Amino acid sequence: QYKSIDWHRTAAQTFYASCVWAPLAHHWYELLDTIALRIVKTGVFTAMVARQAKSGSILGSSKGALVAIKLVIEIVALHPISLLAYFAGIGFLNGDSRNEIVSQIKRDFFPTLALEVALWTPLDVSNFQFVPVRHQLLVVNCGCFIESVGLSFIKKNGFVLPGMD
């Protein structure tokens, strides 16, 4: 059944995506590349890369090690922090109380994080492997559009899978 557009929700999502996430993401991907390159240059992953090269894996190169390092940093650092910031930021913009925000984070954080990792892992691997750094944010923005729709739904309804009523 058709429902009218929730303009407040739309405005909050647009503000968050444009004024909070976009500038942070721009700097994040530059920083991520710098950190990952430094780690590769230290040789920390040399033994792993050598083992992977023997097995014919995509990680059997410095480019593969760079992709793996970026992916680990994304999953460990960016996703949990950005998801917490999203729930708190959108909750604040929607006028939710502190207790409502904390309650939603407790209820929805881990299932949403699992969904995020499932969405972003293949996209990040492809992005980091094949797209030049200067264009990676464009690919991320396309993924963010899809993610924003899902996060907006989760923020409004909680984490609900089809058939889970």
Side-chain angles (χ1 to χ4, degrees):
Q1 184 180 28
Y2 176 76
K3 294 182 180 181
S4 64
I5 294 173
D6 183 342
W7 289 108
H8 184 267
R9 180 175 159 197
T10 302
Q13 289 284 141
T14 302
F15 175 82
Y16 185 85
S18 302
C19 299
V20 176
W21 174 245
L24 291 174
H26 168 74
H27 294 293
W28 166 255
Y29 285 98
E30 289 178 349
L31 178 65
L32 179 62
D33 195 57
T34 301
I35 292 169
L37 284 170
R38 284 185 186 163
I39 291 171
V40 167
K41 287 179 183 175
T42 64
V44 171
F45 281 49
T46 305
M48 179 187 79
V49 170
R51 281 194 305 272
Q52 294 296 327
K54 290 177 185 174
S55 69
S57 167
I58 192 168
L59 290 178
S61 67
S62 61
K63 175 79 173 182
L66 186 65
V67 169
I69 291 165
K70 285 182 172 184
L71 185 62
V72 168
I73 294 170
E74 281 262 307
I75 290 170
V76 171
L78 177 68
H79 292 303
I81 292 168
S82 67
L83 191 56
L84 286 171
Y86 173 82
F87 281 132
I90 294 294
F92 174 77
L93 290 170
N94 285 337
D96 295 350
S97 71
R98 182 179 178 275
N99 288 342
E100 289 171 319
I101 293 169
V102 169
S103 176
Q104 178 158 39
I105 289 170
K106 285 180 180 178
R107 182 185 67 236
D108 296 334
F109 178 77
F110 286 108
T112 306
L113 182 61
L115 186 64
E116 231 186 60
V117 170
L119 167 74
W120 283 105
T121 299
L123 183 64
D124 281 342
V125 168
S126 300
N127 194 21
F128 298 149
Q129 182 71 29
F130 303 113
V131 179
V133 173
R134 68 182 178 278
H135 299 303
Q136 287 178 359
L137 187 55
L138 178 61
V139 174
V140 167
N141 285 338
C142 293
C144 282
F145 177 75
I146 295 165
E147 179 187 38
S148 294
V149 172
L151 287 176
S152 179
F153 179 86
I154 291 168
K155 177 67 186 109
K156 174 77 174 165
N157 304 295
F159 190 89
V160 180
L161 292 173
M164 287 179 51
D165 292 82

